[in-house]
Amino acid sequence: MLTLTDNAVQVIRDLTAQSTDSADTGIRIAGQPDEPGALLLSVADAPAVTDQVIDVEGARVFLDAEAADVLDDKSLDAAIDEQGGVSFRIERQSYL
């Protein structure tokens, strides 16, 4: 299952808090039918009925079936640059 770094948890909570007051808001990662293997990340008001939901300390991530399969053994990290831009990075989970 996809894991989230502490940075990702904080960035996701900040992003969703800015987008809406709803407690159901999260980021959604979904496959792109016209681009196999490509994933799209967006802020979503709620998960789709078939989405896998990951909730870590209030940071909610919704994964469609393709994204859940592709990201099963991955970790999501996030950073904010000097201009306030957010970037997400997918890494292989490290097992120590």
Side-chain angles (χ1 to χ4, degrees):
M1 179 188 306
L2 177 70
T3 61
L4 308 178
T5 66
D6 292 341
N7 289 340
V9 168
Q10 187 61 51
V11 168
I12 292 167
R13 286 194 310 221
D14 291 348
L15 274 176
T16 56
Q18 293 171 15
S19 299
T20 182
D21 292 331
S22 172
D24 294 331
T25 302
I27 62 165
R28 183 164 195 268
I29 304 174
Q32 298 301 291
D34 55 336
E35 294 183 49
L39 299 174
L40 176 68
L41 185 144
S42 60
V43 175
D45 292 332
V49 174
T50 58
D51 282 353
Q52 177 183 353
V53 178
I54 299 168
D55 189 329
V56 178
E57 300 174 16
R60 294 169 46 93
V61 178
F62 315 134
L63 303 173
D64 77 352
E66 181 180 349
D69 185 50
V70 169
L71 300 175
D72 185 52
D73 62 345
K74 305 293 189 292
S75 181
L76 182 66
D77 192 16
I80 300 175
D81 64 24
E82 295 87 26
Q83 291 80 31
V86 175
S87 63
F88 287 94
R89 184 174 65 210
I90 303 291
E91 299 177 338
R92 190 168 292 283
Q93 289 178 9
S94 59
Y95 300 97
L96 299 176

